[in-house]
Amino acid sequence: MNTSMVQSKFLSHPEDIGVVAVGFSGGQTRVATSQLTKMAWQCKAGVDAAPKALIESGLLTQLRDELNYKLHGDDEVHLYTDLVPKEDPPYRNMKNPMAVSNVTQKLCDQVYSHAKEGRLVLTLGGDHSIAIGTIAGSAKAMRERLGREIAVIWVDAHADINTPESSDSGNVHGMPVAFVTGLAKEKKPEYFGWLQDDHLLSVKKLVYIGLRDVDPGEKRILRENGIKAFSMFDIDKHGIGRVVEMALAHIGNDTPIHLSFDVDALDPMWAPSTGTPVRGGLTLREGDFICESVHQTGSLVAVDLVEVNPSLATDHVGASETVRAGCSLVRCALGESLL
Ligand SMILES: NC(=[NH2+])NCCC[C@H](N)C(=O)O
Ligand SMILES: [Mn+2]
Ligand SMILES: [Mn+2]
């Protein structure tokens, strides 16, 4: 491999990647294009569009042929339509709660089974609710394999740490961090009650980068739990280099890192085709730099790329630019740009 400069600390097969492609968007209900009926997101053409577009634009081929990784798992995209119940009324204010719970539970198993083999796991989403499954799977595998907790670097315009009660939208893609940290609790297995202690992430091991659209309730949660967060203000003030350095220092160098990258962390100039764009974001280079820096630690064990949604662009340039940006982020996290 041409990434041999970086020694992986926590992977027993650093040249192997477990790929999970999940075209699921039940964690968000905002649909910008056609007039859809209430539950029609299930069968909406293009729900599977993100992973498919990323794969069709050559991402996996590049990882295989240019970065010399051995890929395991998905060349095709899971839609998990079999896991979506016919009736799925709101529960504790959450929309599509059973569908999201079922899909993330299934994803947790998939991520876990790659991670326990000592592979890096790459998940191509889907909306950010899927991180409930990917982080739960990583956390459990690292506890079992290494007896270690994981850290999460969450790169996003949003904190996604609403509890069902603090959320205004009821969209579960705004809640994944609350569930995986145990700040949102639920006993019923069909509503995320399947999350056990060994699936959870400590709030001390969580770091945000890129925040700029945080709900008042979320600000309170961040403050009350002393969660480390670098907003766009911090990036303007210190520069991206210093911010990433501080984020990594917070985690320490003996902790496996799960990178969860929401493409809406990037400014809409680079990634317009996403469900909840917010102006004033990261440049593509700043996004790539975060990924490169995390790669360089040798601690990376999992990457999520989420919220790429080609069907939301007003023109195909916007869609393909967003896909291109997403591919770039993933390749940087996997060591492409190091000489
Ligand atoms: N993954 C995302 N794009 N999340 C956006 C969340 C927006 C808002 N905070 C909410 O709770 O609904
Ligand atoms: Mn976001
Ligand atoms: Mn997000």
Side-chain angles (χ1 to χ4, degrees):
M1 0 219 306
N2 53 6
T3 52
S4 54
M5 297 289 292
V6 177
Q7 277 285 336
S8 172
K9 294 185 222 157
F10 304 114
L11 300 169
S12 48
H13 297 283
E15 69 288 355
D16 288 22
I17 299 180
V19 180
V20 181
V22 40
F24 178 73
S25 60
Q28 47 121 49
T29 44
R30 207 195 96 143
V31 174
T33 40
S34 50
Q35 326 80 330
L36 299 167
T37 55
K38 225 167 79 206
M39 291 299 287
W41 61 266
Q42 295 175 31
C43 48
K44 179 184 167 236
V47 159
D48 64 336
K52 202 162 160 233
L54 292 162
I55 293 169
E56 278 171 4
S57 81
L59 177 60
L60 299 185
T61 321
Q62 290 160 358
L63 298 184
R64 229 180 259 127
D65 299 348
E66 288 164 34
L67 295 174
N68 299 317
Y69 284 103
K70 183 140 48 91
L71 305 191
H72 303 259
D74 297 353
D75 261 341
E76 84 193 77
V77 179
H78 297 282
L79 294 178
Y80 301 111
T81 39
D82 53 320
L83 299 177
V84 175
K86 282 205 184 63
E87 294 280 315
D88 195 3
Y91 176 76
R92 286 176 62 189
N93 176 46
M94 292 182 274
K95 291 176 180 153
N96 312 321
M98 257 191 233
V100 185
S101 177
N102 288 349
V103 169
T104 52
Q105 183 173 16
K106 170 87 189 182
L107 252 174
C108 172
D109 290 343
Q110 281 183 281
V111 170
Y112 169 80
S113 67
H114 286 300
K116 79 167 198 301
E117 297 296 319
R119 298 172 188 151
L120 185 138
V121 189
L122 170 64
T123 304
L124 304 174
D127 72 62
H128 223 161
S129 69
I130 67 168
I132 296 174
T134 62
I135 291 174
S138 282
K140 183 172 157 148
M142 292 305 141
R143 280 200 173 86
E144 282 177 21
R145 259 189 64 231
L146 308 166
R148 284 175 194 272
E149 286 187 47
I150 58 163
V152 169
I153 301 182
W154 191 279
V155 187
D156 204 324
H158 310 94
D160 293 348
I161 197 165
N162 272 304
T163 62
E165 288 67 33
S166 76
S167 166
D168 276 340
S169 66
N171 292 332
V172 182
H173 79 158
M175 308 177 196
V177 182
F179 278 102
V180 293
T181 53
L183 291 172
K185 285 191 190 52
E186 173 58 48
K187 286 226 171 61
K188 289 200 172 79
E190 67 275 32
Y191 295 121
F192 305 104
W194 56 268
L195 284 164
Q196 305 294 308
D197 286 348
D198 57 349
H199 291 124
L200 298 187
L201 161 73
S202 158
V203 287
K204 295 192 198 73
K205 295 279 184 193
L206 167 65
V207 185
Y208 286 103
I209 301 177
L211 300 185
R212 59 192 181 276
D213 183 11
V214 181
D215 300 338
E218 293 183 298
K219 287 188 182 165
R220 193 172 40 79
I221 295 171
L222 295 179
R223 231 181 294 120
E224 283 174 1
N225 293 280
I227 293 169
K228 198 74 172 170
F230 297 97
S231 65
M232 289 310 298
F233 172 82
D234 297 304
I235 294 167
D236 290 342
K237 184 170 172 188
H238 303 287
I240 192 68
R242 182 77 190 107
V243 162
V244 170
E245 208 175 291
M246 291 189 283
L248 293 173
H250 180 76
I251 289 169
N253 50 23
D254 54 356
T255 306
I257 297 176
H258 182 123
L259 175 64
S260 202
F261 205 117
D262 184 329
V263 83
D264 73 28
L266 300 183
D267 191 272
M269 185 177 274
W270 280 270
S273 204
T274 186
T276 48
V278 189
R279 296 187 303 171
L282 300 171
T283 64
L284 178 58
R285 256 317 296 161
E286 287 170 332
D288 283 349
F289 178 81
I290 295 169
C291 295
E292 290 161 352
S293 305
V294 174
H295 174 83
Q296 270 199 325
T297 62
S299 299
L300 186 63
V301 297
V303 181
D304 311 326
L305 177 69
V306 299
E307 302 282 349
V308 173
N309 194 342
S311 64
L312 294 181
T314 45
D315 56 52
H316 76 276
V317 178
S320 71
E321 283 298 287
T322 310
V323 167
R324 222 149 68 93
C327 291
S328 177
L329 295 169
V330 171
R331 292 197 312 267
C332 287
L334 295 173
E336 139 162 286
S337 34
L338 298 179
L339 303 176

